[in-house]
Amino acid sequence: MKTISFIFALLFFASCSTSRIDRKIDDVTWDSLADESYLRWGETRLTKANPDHTVVNCYKGEAQETLDKYKREYITKGQTPYYWLHIGNCYFVQDQWSKAEFFYRMTMDETKTPTIKSIALNNLGLISFKYEQWEKGKEYLRQSMALAPKFKVPRYNMSQLYLQFGLYDKAIEVLNESAFRGHKDIDVYFSLANAYLYKGDLKTASRYFNMIPPEHFRREDIAATYALYLIRQGDVKGAKEIMNARDRSDVPELTAISQKIEKILSQRMKEE
């Protein structure tokens, strides 16, 4: 049991600390953050997005071309509210944190619109987390939430911070706020399942796992976490099936954890 608890800790740290897990969601009905972020949009959804939203191209792998276009449009669009924010987002999706931060700060200087400031603050918070500046990032998220009480993205990101540091009740509280009510979301359900699982409330964890569409259990972080849940429930066979069906993410931390889980399953099956 100590080994399983240790793997739980490693697994959640790996899941929260990397952006390399493919979290693309093709069905918009399962993406409650869709109207606030393109980060989880699959290729099909991005292709169908409004062509007037130039920033979408940054998420389609055309960041440099899009940045060049924004530079040419400075005279005509440089004073529009989203201009600096979208340039920051283009650098953000390329992991160019310093440049992204510069343009998010430009956004804060150049716009008076609270919701746009909220988005910039949220992204400044995420950049702070990249440098493990946890308290600084938390303050940015707090300011972001205050400016846009109905926005879900900064609240979701705050919940991930709480989960990473073992503040499960705080994460649950945030994910149950009114902003999320009436929406379906794979990662919100997965986060709630995690929180209750880590608290030892397997019954409630099961309820949230059951809300996730079956095809998403192929995602390696979900598969590995659910497999550990099934091991705790004594369903070794089910855990083995989940792990066998998973899509390998090629994220080194998750690969190592999955291998540890497979060793546990192999040993348990020999004992049965």
Side-chain angles (χ1 to χ4, degrees):
M1 188 62 72
K2 287 183 179 180
T3 301
I4 292 176
S5 298
F6 177 68
I7 294 175
F8 265 128
L10 288 177
L11 177 59
F12 197 80
F13 180 79
S15 182
C16 284
S17 64
T18 180
S19 59
R20 290 169 288 168
I21 302 168
D22 184 3
R23 291 189 170 90
K24 301 297 184 185
I25 301 173
D26 287 322
D27 187 347
V28 67
T29 61
W30 287 97
D31 180 5
S32 70
L33 312 181
D35 56 343
E36 298 175 29
S37 172
Y38 290 114
L39 284 174
R40 295 191 298 172
W41 285 43
E43 185 176 348
T44 301
R45 290 167 62 193
L46 288 171
T47 301
K48 294 179 180 178
N50 189 333
D52 292 334
H53 295 172
T54 307
V55 72
V56 172
N57 295 319
C58 295
Y59 299 83
K60 294 165 63 176
E62 302 169 8
Q64 191 54 57
E65 298 91 329
T66 307
L67 285 167
D68 291 340
K69 187 174 188 295
Y70 277 125
K71 290 176 184 177
R72 293 193 299 271
E73 294 176 342
Y74 171 72
I75 299 299
T76 57
K77 297 186 178 180
Q79 302 305 313
T80 56
Y82 281 98
Y83 181 79
W84 302 106
L85 177 69
H86 285 172
I87 292 176
N89 287 347
C90 275
Y91 282 117
F92 187 93
V93 298
Q94 295 181 92
D95 296 344
Q96 295 189 38
W97 312 125
S98 295
K99 290 183 178 180
E101 180 178 1
F102 175 84
F103 285 102
Y104 290 143
R105 293 192 181 280
M106 284 289 293
T107 302
M108 298 297 295
D109 292 338
E110 297 295 327
T111 185
K112 296 180 180 179
T113 308
T115 51
I116 297 176
K117 285 181 179 287
S118 174
I119 296 168
L121 285 163
N122 172 77
N123 293 353
L124 284 170
L126 296 182
I127 290 171
S128 296
F129 295 156
K130 298 293 182 182
Y131 295 110
E132 299 187 357
Q133 297 173 338
W134 310 114
E135 194 60 38
K136 183 178 180 181
K138 179 184 175 184
E139 178 57 23
Y140 281 134
L141 291 183
R142 189 193 65 76
Q143 293 176 30
S144 174
M145 291 161 62
L147 283 173
K150 294 183 179 181
F151 273 12
K152 295 178 283 294
V153 168
R155 284 162 174 77
Y156 173 77
N157 290 331
M158 185 70 84
S159 76
Q160 300 309 291
L161 179 66
Y162 286 145
L163 284 170
Q164 187 164 337
F165 284 92
L167 302 172
Y168 307 125
D169 289 325
K170 283 186 174 292
I172 291 167
E173 181 181 353
V174 170
L175 291 171
N176 279 295
E177 288 183 1
S178 59
F180 294 102
R181 290 175 196 157
H183 298 275
K184 297 187 297 183
D185 190 282
I186 291 158
D187 284 305
V188 169
Y189 293 154
F190 180 46
S191 296
L192 284 165
N194 264 292
Y196 283 107
L197 182 57
Y198 280 65
K199 279 167 58 71
D201 185 346
L202 300 186
K203 182 177 180 181
T204 307
S206 176
R207 179 159 63 89
Y208 285 107
F209 276 128
N210 288 335
M211 291 181 181
I212 301 172
E215 62 270 22
H216 288 278
F217 283 86
R218 295 177 64 89
R219 203 174 86 186
E220 190 163 21
D221 58 333
I222 296 179
T225 305
Y226 190 57
L228 289 172
Y229 160 79
L230 291 174
I231 291 172
R232 282 195 167 178
Q233 292 283 58
D235 186 0
V236 175
K237 182 180 178 181
K240 180 69 173 175
E241 290 173 353
I242 285 288
M243 292 301 290
N244 286 345
R246 78 187 187 281
D247 293 326
R248 272 66 169 175
S249 66
D250 294 326
V251 176
E253 300 93 330
L254 276 177
T255 299
I257 290 165
S258 292
Q259 289 172 348
K260 290 179 185 294
I261 294 171
E262 288 173 330
K263 287 181 180 178
I264 291 173
L265 290 171
S266 179
Q267 184 61 38
R268 293 289 178 91
M269 294 185 84
K270 288 178 182 177
E271 294 171 356
E272 290 186 352

